[in-house]
Amino acid sequence: MGTEKTRPLILITDDSDINRMILADMLEDDYDILEAESGKEAIKIVNEKRNAIDIILLDCVMPDMDGFEVLAELERNWAKEDIPVIMISAESDQSFIVKAYQLGALDYICRPFNAVIVRHRVDTIMRMHLKEQHLANVATSQIMDKHVNNHMMINILSSIVEFRNGESGQHILHVQNLTDMLMREMLRITDKYPLTDDEMSMIPTVAALHDVGKISIPYHVLNKPGKFTEEEFNLMKTHTTIGYDMLTELPTYQKDPLIRMAGQVCRWHHERYDGKGYPDGLVGDEIPIAAQLVSIADVYDALTSERCYKEAYSHEKAMQMINNGECGTFNPILLQCLNNLGDKIPEMLDNSSAEEMFREDIYRIIENTLRAPQHRSQ
Amino acid sequence: MTIEELYKASGDDYNELLGRLFNAKLIEKLVKKYRDDQNYKQLCDGVAQKDREKVFTAAHTIKGLALNLGFGRLAQTATELTEATRNSYPDNVPELFAAVQKEQDNILALIDKLD
């Protein structure tokens, strides 16, 4: 995304200094100029300057590494940065031009240079590129703002509930982060549970709401240090259905996908894969995948945190208890994900920022959307 | 000799060039700089070594330079040598090279007469 600059930076790559001087003279009024006298030097400069370079002018025929090889190298390593490239050459053979386009060049200028034409074409490509970047940034910030606001309100609400539960505010963050990590690992190792981009961003967000139903559980039950009586346990269990009812009966938002998913997570995050959970005794994949993910994250964090009725267990002990089925049966694929994450979990729980990952995801999605229609011909 | 007289003597169109580059000072600077350009030496070495790739690359660059600087006959002879050596090294390379050499010598002699 880069910092604000007053003048765009252009990299002129040509083995002939006279040609570089001509181009520099044409462009120096409006551009800052870097020069490379070979393909190798151009790649080196791009590697060093990364996203500081706004546009590349590239000669075709050069000794050692020619312009086509430079294009291929850029496409391999820098496709993400997507620096626009204009090829320049004395070559007017159309097959050269086609090859340049196929390798990702946006335009092709033949010698002899004409200052008006060179400036116009460079300006046009530059304007298009800046507009595209600007659009991507604007769209990203707007989506981010909306997300941050949603996220903030959800976190405030769930923190209030957690506070009353006598649990630390960390619990929500941990459940969100671990849910996110498990989800990504799941998507990495299997395509059994495909998720849309929207679902991917919603699951960790709604994870925060899994216990909102506890707001209706009397304080003395919630924070009872000893073992529950059967009656108390039955009351405690109702936090799942109460949370579900609270969310799904919200008059205005009944059809909102986020609220619907939050409702599922509230209701079914205590279900177990073998059907022995509550409140509905759902079996296997009858339990929505979002609720399955949150249930493992919730159990892991409950085990490794101190509660009014227990000490905190170590990561190793918690993993052992979950794998032994001491906290009920989980989806074997998700257990595999948990085990794959393994020892990285404790560190990542506190360090990973779901917010940052989310920003990268959004930016990627928007870039893909913007670039889709003009995708390069093969 | 002025730069305009140089172009007249070489049979080329200075005004066309000025119409493309818009910078008389730059043109004069570049033309003087062309005297020291190493591509012609590369071309001579390539021909001496019968190195196709070297000949092709140097001839191609000279073609581009000549086009940019408006040296029409040099561009034309360099283009012929470029096309001849694009994929192979035919027997007539020495003749094509001699044609480039003649135009190159002519241009350099004129540049030496510049004020």
Side-chain angles (χ1 to χ4, degrees):
Chain A
M1 288 192 254
T3 46
E4 286 300 314
K5 284 180 291 189
T6 45
R7 282 153 55 97
L9 182 61
I10 194 165
L11 173 63
I12 298 175
T13 308
D14 197 313
D15 57 316
S16 150
D17 55 351
I18 292 180
N19 286 332
R20 292 198 305 274
M21 282 168 72
I22 296 176
L23 289 168
D25 180 76
M26 290 171 176
L27 297 163
E28 67 193 4
D29 286 348
D30 299 313
Y31 293 85
D32 285 333
I33 291 173
L34 282 175
E35 292 184 23
E37 60 177 34
S38 69
K40 286 200 175 106
E41 196 186 351
I43 293 291
K44 187 166 160 269
I45 292 175
V46 171
N47 283 337
E48 281 165 7
K49 303 273 177 183
R50 303 197 173 220
N51 48 10
I53 296 168
D54 294 295
I55 190 164
I56 298 174
L57 290 185
L58 184 60
D59 186 19
C60 276
V61 179
M62 293 183 286
D64 293 335
M65 187 182 203
D66 72 16
F68 294 128
E69 291 171 80
V70 174
L71 270 181
E73 179 77 16
L74 287 174
E75 195 72 355
R76 252 198 311 280
N77 297 327
W78 296 98
K80 219 180 101 206
E81 308 293 331
D82 210 40
I83 309 170
V85 177
I86 300 177
M87 288 294 265
I88 40 177
S89 183
E91 200 61 64
S92 50
D93 185 338
Q94 293 198 349
S95 66
F96 262 66
I97 305 179
V98 170
K99 189 174 171 194
Y101 288 165
Q102 281 173 341
L103 283 167
L106 291 188
D107 203 353
Y108 190 103
I109 303 178
C110 291
R111 294 183 221 281
F113 298 143
N114 175 309
V116 177
I117 294 173
V118 168
R119 267 187 222 132
H120 184 85
R121 287 164 86 163
V122 171
D123 287 347
T124 303
I125 296 285
M126 196 63 232
R127 243 197 332 269
M128 266 171 44
H129 184 67
L130 288 178
K131 247 183 209 163
E132 193 182 78
Q133 275 188 333
H134 179 67
L135 274 176
N137 287 341
V138 167
T140 307
S141 328
Q142 289 191 349
I143 293 174
M144 275 306 290
D145 284 352
K146 179 169 165 269
H147 169 79
V148 166
N149 286 340
N150 273 343
H151 200 74
M152 185 172 69
M153 296 313 291
I154 287 169
N155 281 5
I156 290 171
L157 174 64
S158 40
S159 300
I160 291 168
V161 177
E162 294 295 324
F163 182 72
R164 191 167 168 274
N165 299 350
E167 289 163 11
S168 70
Q170 287 298 92
H171 178 60
I172 289 169
L173 197 64
H174 285 176
V175 171
Q176 283 190 313
N177 284 348
L178 186 51
T179 299
D180 191 69
M181 285 152 59
L182 287 167
M183 176 183 74
R184 284 166 198 274
E185 181 63 14
M186 176 187 83
L187 292 170
R188 193 182 70 78
I189 67 172
T190 177
D191 49 15
K192 192 176 169 195
Y193 303 102
L195 296 175
T196 65
D197 289 327
D198 275 348
E199 288 168 333
M200 276 178 67
S201 76
M202 281 193 296
I203 290 176
T205 304
V206 300
L209 292 166
H210 66 283
D211 273 344
V212 281
K214 284 188 178 170
I215 198 81
S216 69
I217 307 296
Y219 188 82
H220 69 274
V221 176
L222 264 186
N223 295 292
K224 182 177 177 181
K227 220 172 159 30
F228 286 138
T229 65
E230 195 182 333
E231 193 187 346
E232 283 165 344
F233 189 47
N234 284 335
L235 184 62
M236 192 66 189
K237 285 176 177 177
T238 62
H239 81 275
T240 52
T241 47
I242 290 170
Y244 174 81
D245 292 344
M246 286 188 333
L247 290 168
T248 54
E249 285 168 20
L250 285 171
T252 328
Y253 304 112
Q254 284 181 1
K255 287 193 176 144
D256 187 278
L258 187 99
I259 296 296
R260 283 160 74 134
M261 187 184 271
Q264 292 177 353
V265 165
C266 284
R267 185 174 187 110
W268 291 310
H269 72 278
H270 283 287
E271 298 288 355
R272 289 295 178 264
Y273 209 62
D274 56 1
K276 292 185 179 161
Y278 63 87
D280 299 313
L282 299 186
V283 182
D285 289 330
E286 284 174 7
I287 312 164
I289 194 64
Q292 291 193 47
L293 287 161
V294 172
S295 67
I296 295 200
D298 185 34
V299 163
Y300 173 89
D301 194 59
L303 290 172
T304 53
S305 310
E306 188 185 332
R307 294 288 165 86
C308 62
Y309 51 90
K310 65 174 263 297
E311 296 286 301
Y313 295 116
S314 68
H315 164 74
E316 291 73 19
K317 177 74 180 165
M319 294 292 278
Q320 192 192 339
M321 290 172 75
I322 294 171
N323 278 307
N324 290 345
E326 290 174 52
C327 311
T329 308
F330 294 100
N331 183 336
I333 294 176
L334 299 190
L335 277 183
Q336 180 66 51
C337 296
L338 185 76
N339 289 319
N340 287 355
L341 295 168
D343 295 343
K344 284 181 286 182
I345 296 174
E347 185 192 349
M348 284 176 73
L349 275 191
D350 289 313
N351 292 340
S352 77
S353 154
E355 203 73 18
E356 255 168 48
M357 287 203 271
F358 184 77
R359 178 179 277 276
E360 281 170 20
D361 283 346
I362 292 289
Y363 195 75
R364 178 179 51 76
I365 294 163
I366 290 170
E367 277 203 323
N368 290 344
T369 314
L370 279 174
R371 306 247 152 92
Q374 54 151 65
H375 201 78
R376 283 150 191 168
S377 53
Q378 291 308 308
Chain B
M1 181 184 256
T2 68
I3 189 84
E4 287 178 75
E5 286 163 349
L6 179 145
Y7 276 88
K8 201 169 179 187
S10 73
D12 294 303
D13 186 347
Y14 177 75
N15 288 326
E16 185 272 335
L17 183 63
L18 191 58
R20 286 196 281 114
L21 300 186
F22 296 95
N23 187 338
K25 265 192 188 155
L26 178 73
I27 294 171
E28 185 156 356
K29 190 169 147 198
L30 294 175
V31 167
K32 285 180 176 162
K33 202 168 170 53
Y34 184 72
R35 181 167 42 197
D36 307 318
D37 191 76
Q38 292 302 303
N39 282 290
Y40 180 70
K41 185 177 179 304
Q42 291 290 319
L43 179 61
C44 297
D45 291 351
V47 171
Q49 296 155 11
K50 298 196 173 168
D51 180 336
R52 187 204 65 82
E53 201 178 322
K54 204 167 185 175
V55 172
F56 172 75
T57 306
H60 194 283
T61 304
I62 290 170
K63 167 192 168 186
L65 283 169
L67 282 172
N68 274 338
L69 295 177
F71 299 141
R73 286 208 304 270
L74 179 60
Q76 182 56 38
T77 51
T79 301
E80 281 161 21
L81 183 53
T82 302
E83 294 312 318
T85 54
R86 185 181 290 282
N87 300 309
S88 61
Y89 200 85
D91 295 338
N92 67 342
V93 167
E95 291 138 58
L96 293 170
F97 170 65
V100 174
Q101 193 172 29
K102 183 175 158 239
E103 299 306 329
Q104 171 79 6
D105 288 347
N106 185 28
I107 297 282
L108 290 189
L110 290 170
I111 293 173
D112 282 336
K113 289 187 199 156
L114 277 177
D115 303 329

